[in-house]
Amino acid sequence: VHALNVGPLQACCYLLAADQGSEAAVVDPGGDADLIIEQLRYRKLVPRYILLTHGHIDHIEAVAALKRRFPQADVCIHADDAGMLRDGAVALAGLIGLAYEPCEPDRLLANGDRMALGDETIEVIHTPGHTPGGISLLVRRDAERALVFSGDTLFAGGIGRTDFPGGRYQQLIESIRARLFGLPDDTAVYPGHGEPTTIGEERATNPFLQ
């Protein structure tokens, strides 16, 4: 996992590389398309997927530019957030003050969907609350601990905002308790903002979930 901080809000974009070969997934390209492309070239990675944990502009701003550069990469988003790829107002582009370029999704995701990346599998966990189509992306690995990209659902010591349109606080809490806290304690959590953490750390210390 290679982490980049992108855009004026310094959202976390992740390059997830397969153990073997050049295949990769770009998770939440929220800005600075040139930087993301440069890092992919430097690491000799070719994206098979552009994966979006949700549709807010600070997580999708560079999607259209990446799709032009890598047309073979499938843009994947949950069906309930797909409209954010087409409508800047829904994606909060004006509110946050970021440029917006629409892009059509290649694949609409649902809970339980799986995508192959090299010898590994990325599993979709629907975790609504921050947005209706918010998802987390789980990679289970036989020889190493699992990892999950939690988007703006779960942070180190925090949770996602629920005061934007479509946000629901209780739904977010239930998503974390029912779907993320069922993962092993040592599961690495890569959030949409801030530093990585683990499921066990958040279960034990996150003040919103005690």
Side-chain angles (χ1 to χ4, degrees), residues 8-10 25 36 43-44 51 66 84 89 93 95 100 115 161 181-182:
L9 298 186
Q10 292 293 279
I36 297 170
R43 300 178 188 283
K44 298 179 172 61
L51 303 176
L66 286 178
M84 298 184 188
L95 177 65
Y100 180 85
M115 292 161 285
R161 292 177 61 165
F181 279 4

Side-chain angles (χ1 to χ4, degrees), residues 90-186:
V90 180
L92 306 183
L95 177 65
I96 297 176
L98 293 178
Y100 180 85
E101 183 179 357
C103 181
E104 283 296 315
D106 296 297
R107 179 172 175 180
L108 299 180
L109 301 174
N111 186 63
D113 283 355
R114 295 172 181 267
M115 292 161 285
L117 185 70
D119 294 332
E120 297 178 340
T121 300
I122 304 168
E123 180 181 342
V124 175
I125 304 174
H126 187 206
T127 48
H130 179 64
T131 65
I135 59 173
S136 298
L137 298 162
L138 174 66
V139 181
R140 304 182 194 268
R141 301 177 293 178
D142 293 336
E144 302 177 63
R145 63 179 181 165
L147 58 91
V148 64
F149 301 96
S150 61
D152 284 3
T153 295
L154 178 65
F155 303 128
I159 60 172
R161 292 177 61 165
T162 56
D163 56 335
F164 294 132
R168 295 175 61 191
Y169 178 82
Q170 199 55 49
Q171 186 181 48
L172 182 69
I173 296 298
E174 182 62 21
S175 289
I176 297 169
R177 290 192 184 281
R179 296 195 164 170
L180 295 184
F181 279 4
L183 300 173
D185 279 352
D186 67 348

Side-chain angles (χ1 to χ4, degrees), residues 40-59:
L40 288 166
R41 286 175 174 165
Y42 172 73
R43 300 178 188 283
K44 298 179 172 61
L45 299 175
V46 179
R48 180 174 177 181
Y49 307 107
I50 299 169
L51 303 176
L52 307 173
T53 62
H54 64 292
H56 286 157
I57 187 64
D58 58 323
H59 293 258

